[in-house]
């Protein structure tokens, strides 16, 4: 693992495909043995929970399942570099000037949302970054280069890339974009993240001025922009759109693709598992299973057979050694395809039911409507000091109900007052100035119909726009 180069990993990625399933499985087995041995030797936490695990694994099922809550509560024992401590990282993260800087000059640090009430701090070493970048360029982007005229369109548009994500913090997309620009400042003219937090009219104006040829973002943001494009307020002409961060339903993909008259790609991954999948020409999500292991499981963490929807999924990252992710439980529900994909890829393909929060629609005093992106308003809530978890529910056109969980030792009334003020300011900035923000005594809970935790959702009957 040490000293991996872009050339070496790229060559291996190509060779892996040629060798087919046998070559993939051989690499996976070898890399699993290596990451487990490394974690056992260098992570106090894994050394403890692997005490009774055999040195030579017969299968991944011999390893215990870990959760975000467990790992975060043992953070200093989890990491494999003694110079990394949670206290030191929290000081680093508190300085917004550090966005895009490497911690200790050798680790990328990012934070995740608290969608399930448990935010995480995640590190990636430089060797892992080599793997992630190769998987992106060799597998993900190579699919789109087959699109007729795409290369020339990118050159003609000078490669301007825009992404609509949450900014202002150490979130993965924001961190990686800032990191690239720090390395080559001239990229700022060609690559930009636009904040999903800004009012829609401002976002539309900024995108019109930038005129991207590649556009990425949350499906909810892309759906909203598609309606703006159809209404004539947004008039950009991307040749490629990439969706990530939420579930991309087929109807949304069609809406977005039709509005912008271009190809719409999809991606499933997370801050823990960068480069987990790529989408093929048949619009199937394939797992990069030479570097990741994905296990669909039921509520008891037992394997779910191919063709059946799981209750959760266990992710193993075979590339990152500073903070080993091995049989890490994620709440997404997946179905592993039972049959090979028609594209001919040797990598397994999956369907994913991930984050499916709703776009909220509120009236303005002027008689218009404003749309609020779920990840944007959720971030406002999560970033409020003292909030351990929350759920935002629209039950009437002019109200927002908040289910709140405060961190241990926090003052419930003070946290609620600050959260209410922040939500009111955010909604007002978007033009929704008359919304009643109410707190209920109910704790954040799974959706009563789906049984899945949804952080932001509407109980109103959806309307076609």
């Amino acid at each position: 693992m040490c000293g991996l180069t872009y050339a070496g990993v790229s060559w291996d990625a190509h060779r892996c495909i040629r060798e087919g399933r046998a070559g993939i499985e051989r690499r996976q087995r070898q890399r699993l043995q290596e990451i487990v041995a490394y974690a056992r030797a260098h992570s106090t936490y894994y050394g403890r929970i692997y005490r009774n695990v055999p040195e030579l694994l017969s299968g991944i099922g011999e390893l215990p399942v870990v959760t975000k809550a467990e790992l975060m509560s043992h953070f200093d024992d989890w990491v494999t570099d003694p110079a990394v401590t949670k206290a030191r990282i929290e000081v680093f993260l508190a300085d917004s000037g550090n966005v895009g800087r490497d911690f200790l000059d050798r680790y990328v640090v990012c934070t995740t949302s608290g969608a399930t009430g448990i935010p995480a701090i995640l590190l990636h070493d430089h060797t892992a970054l080599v793997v992630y970048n190769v998987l992106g360029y060799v597998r993900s982007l190579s699919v789109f280069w087959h699109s007729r005229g795409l290369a020339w369109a990118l050159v003609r548009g000078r490669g301007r890339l825009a992404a609509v994500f949450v900014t202002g913090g150490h979130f993965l997309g924001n961190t990686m974009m800032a990191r690239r620009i720090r390395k080559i400042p001239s990229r700022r003219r060609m690559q930009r993240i636009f904040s999903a937090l800004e009012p829609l009219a401002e976002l539309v104006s900024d995108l019109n001025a930038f005129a991207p040829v590649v556009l990425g973002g949350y499906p909810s943001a892309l759906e909203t922009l598609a309606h703006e494009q159809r209404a004539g307020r947004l008039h950009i002409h991307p040749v490629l759109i990439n969706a990530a961060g939420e579930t991309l339903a087929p109807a949304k993909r069609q809406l977005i693709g039709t509005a912008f008259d271009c190809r719409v790609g999809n991606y499933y991954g997370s801050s823990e598992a960068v480069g987990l999948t790529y989408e093929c020409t048949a619009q199937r999500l394939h797992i990069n299973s030479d570097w990741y292991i994905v296990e669909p499981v039921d509520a008891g963490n037992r394997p779910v057979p191919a063709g059946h929807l799981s209750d959760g999924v266990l992710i193993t990252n075979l590339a990152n050694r500073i903070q080993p992710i091995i049989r890490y439980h994620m709440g997404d529900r997946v179905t592993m395809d039972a049959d090979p994909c028609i594209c001919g890829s040797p990598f397994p393909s999956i369907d994913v039911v991930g984050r499916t929060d709703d776009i909220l629609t509120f009236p303005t005093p002027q008689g218009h409507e404003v749309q609020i992106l779920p990840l944007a308003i959720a971030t406002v809530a999560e970033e409020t000091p003292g909030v351990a978890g929350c759920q935002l529910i629209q039950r009437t056109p002019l109200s927002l109900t908040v289910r709140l969980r405060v961190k241990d030792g926090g003052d419930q009334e003070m946290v609620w007052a600050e959260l209410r003020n922040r939500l009111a300011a955010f909604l007002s900035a978007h033009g929704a100035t008359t919304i009643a923000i109410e707190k209920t005594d109910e704790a954040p809970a799974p959706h009563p119909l789906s049984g899945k935790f949804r952080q932001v959702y509407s109980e109103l009957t959806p309307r076609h726009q």
Side-chain angles (χ1 to χ4, degrees), residues 205-406:
S205 176
D206 290 343
L207 286 171
N208 281 334
F210 187 66
V213 293
V214 178
L215 177 65
Y218 310 121
S220 57
L222 297 173
E223 178 188 4
T224 300
L225 292 173
H227 289 297
E228 293 297 296
Q229 182 86 356
R230 291 173 65 178
R233 291 181 290 270
L234 180 65
H235 41 82
I236 60 176
H237 304 284
V239 296
L240 175 63
I241 290 177
N242 287 315
E246 298 168 337
T247 299
L248 178 64
K252 287 187 179 181
R253 186 200 289 263
Q254 183 175 7
L255 167 68
I256 296 165
T258 301
F260 292 103
D261 190 25
C262 71
R263 183 188 179 105
V264 179
N266 191 22
Y267 169 75
Y268 170 60
S270 68
S271 299
E272 298 92 340
V274 184
L276 176 62
T277 64
Y278 72 94
E279 188 178 69
C280 70
T281 52
Q283 295 187 344
R284 303 296 305 163
L285 283 171
H286 290 267
I287 302 165
N288 285 310
S289 51
D290 48 342
W291 285 105
Y292 283 100
I293 301 175
V294 174
E295 303 173 75
V297 293
D298 64 15
N301 289 328
R302 294 177 292 267
V304 170
H308 295 265
L309 181 64
S310 74
D311 291 299
V313 63
L314 308 180
I315 301 292
T316 298
N317 181 333
L318 301 173
N320 190 24
R321 295 196 171 188
I322 174 57
Q323 204 177 31
I325 301 287
I326 305 172
R327 302 203 83 198
Y328 178 92
H329 190 279
M330 293 174 60
D332 297 331
R333 307 183 72 190
V334 306
T335 301
M336 193 77 72
D337 292 332
D339 299 319
C341 181
I342 60 173
C343 76
S345 171
F347 295 100
S349 59
I350 55 173
D351 279 323
V352 181
V353 180
R355 189 164 183 163
T356 55
D357 293 338
D358 293 334
I359 298 172
L360 305 182
T361 302
F362 293 106
T364 70
Q366 294 75 30
H368 305 298
E369 288 186 338
V370 293
Q371 294 186 319
I372 304 298
L373 301 182
L375 274 168
I377 193 169
T379 300
V380 172
E382 292 161 4
E383 295 295 296
T384 302
V387 170
C390 68
Q391 196 167 32
L392 309 175
I393 308 166
Q394 184 180 14
R395 288 178 167 155
T396 72
L398 287 168
S399 71
L400 182 67
T401 298
V402 180
R403 293 172 174 168
L404 173 65
R405 185 162 58 84
V406 173

Side-chain angles (χ1 to χ4, degrees), residues 25-219:
E25 292 175 352
R26 175 171 51 79
R27 286 169 173 80
Q28 189 184 91
R29 286 193 302 271
Q30 178 184 338
R31 288 165 181 165
L32 176 62
Q33 295 285 353
E34 291 173 354
I35 195 70
V36 169
Y38 190 88
R40 192 199 306 259
H42 296 89
S43 164
T44 302
Y45 176 78
Y46 278 109
R48 183 167 59 252
I49 68 171
Y50 286 175
R51 188 178 301 116
N52 297 320
V53 172
E55 293 289 333
L56 186 63
L57 295 176
S58 60
I60 196 170
E62 294 180 280
L63 300 172
V65 173
V66 299
T67 66
K68 183 192 295 186
E70 291 168 356
L71 293 175
M72 285 304 300
S73 66
H74 297 90
F75 187 92
D76 289 357
D77 290 339
W78 172 21
V79 295
T80 59
D81 183 345
V84 176
T85 66
K86 189 177 181 182
R88 292 185 68 182
I89 291 180
E90 286 178 338
V91 171
F92 177 86
L93 293 174
D95 184 350
S96 60
N98 285 328
V99 174
R101 297 185 191 275
D102 287 358
F103 179 68
L104 301 179
D105 294 325
R106 56 184 181 272
Y107 303 122
V108 170
V109 182
C110 63
T111 58
T112 70
S113 71
T116 58
I118 308 168
I121 300 171
L122 297 163
L123 292 87
H124 300 275
D125 56 54
H126 288 176
T127 296
L129 293 181
V130 171
V131 173
Y132 304 155
N133 284 326
V134 167
L135 293 177
Y137 287 113
V138 171
R139 295 197 184 135
S140 296
L141 287 183
S142 63
V143 174
F144 299 113
W145 289 115
H146 291 96
S147 299
R148 188 174 182 179
L150 176 58
W152 170 240
L154 289 173
V155 171
R156 191 173 62 246
R158 295 182 295 171
R160 286 187 303 276
L161 182 152
V164 181
F165 291 115
V166 172
T167 60
H170 293 263
F171 305 111
L172 181 64
N174 197 39
T175 293
M176 295 306 292
M177 181 70 82
R179 189 173 184 269
R180 287 194 292 269
I181 291 173
R182 283 185 186 276
K183 284 192 170 185
I184 306 178
S186 61
R187 284 176 172 162
R188 192 182 303 275
R189 298 193 301 270
M190 312 305 299
Q191 300 179 10
R192 284 184 58 186
I193 284 190
F194 295 82
S195 177
L197 299 173
E198 69 176 313
L200 182 59
E202 295 178 21
L203 176 60
V204 167
S205 176
D206 290 343
L207 286 171
N208 281 334
F210 187 66
V213 293
V214 178
L215 177 65
Y218 310 121

